[in-house]
Each structure stands twice: as C-alpha cells, then as structure tokens.
Amino acid sequence: MRKTLLSAAALAAAFITSMTAAKAEDLVFKIVNNTPGTLERFYSSPVGVDDWEEDIFGDKVVAPGETMEITIADGRSVCKYDMRFEFTEDSKIEDLEDSQDLCELGTYTISLH
C-alpha cells in the first residue's frame, strides 16, 4: 500500500510540474501594424516545420496603427518561429514572411520599409 501511495504522489508531482512547464513555455509578444493595410491573418510554426499552423487571429484583424498581443501556447520548448502575415485583399499588400526568436521578442512591428 505504501508503494502505491508513493507512486500516486510521484505521479501527481510530475503532472503538476508538467502543467507548470507548459505554461512557462507560452510565448507572448505584441504585433504592431505599421502599414497602410489591414492585417487579416497571422500564421506561425517553428523553424524547420514545413506546414503553417492555424491562423492565430481567428476572427480578429489588426487595422493600420493598431497593436495586438499574441500568445503562442503550443507547448513546444522552441523559440525560433517562422511567421506569415496576410492582409485583406483591398489592402493590396503582398503577404509578408519572417523568422524571429520569439523568446527574445517583446514587440514585432510590421512595416513596408
């Protein structure tokens, strides 16, 4: 019985530790739209992954001059991400792509210059 109790305690401790570690890996930064167009979609994926993840904005957009806080909570322990920014069709701005170390990033400003 004592062995079972110790195993249950160890399992609970491991679960709590993994929950804390996953939360600590969330990447939070701000996107500033310094373009004349409306930013409609934002995709990211770790560098080296060939497919884009889901659109992070969902049904939100970032108008010219606006800022949005972004949280990437994918549970990964990587910092370097590829990013893809797509604008509304009427903005007439080509999609932009970049790679950044999101662990070091506090604010990312999108501009055409």
Side-chain angles (χ1 to χ4, degrees), residues 59-80:
D59 60 354
K60 298 176 184 168
V61 297
V62 183
E66 288 186 348
T67 300
M68 178 186 285
E69 185 172 272
I70 301 294
T71 301
I72 298 177
D74 60 9
R76 293 181 171 114
S77 59
V78 298
C79 291
K80 294 184 179 179

Side-chain angles (χ1 to χ4, degrees), residues 13-28:
F15 178 73
I16 290 169
T17 301
S18 70
M19 284 180 51
T20 304
K23 187 163 182 70
E25 293 170 2
D26 290 356
L27 301 172
V28 180

Side-chain angles (χ1 to χ4, degrees), residues 30-86:
K30 292 180 181 176
I31 288 181
V32 178
N33 183 1
N34 194 24
T35 73
T38 300
L39 188 55
E40 185 174 43
R41 287 180 290 280
F42 170 56
Y43 302 94
S44 72
S45 64
V47 169
V49 173
D50 291 334
D51 295 320
W52 293 110
E53 308 271 324
E54 292 181 30
D55 174 23
I56 294 174
F57 287 168
D59 60 354
K60 298 176 184 168
V61 297
V62 183
E66 288 186 348
T67 300
M68 178 186 285
E69 185 172 272
I70 301 294
T71 301
I72 298 177
D74 60 9
R76 293 181 171 114
S77 59
V78 298
C79 291
K80 294 184 179 179
Y81 279 77
D82 292 325
M83 300 180 294
R84 179 178 176 88
F85 304 97
E86 296 182 0

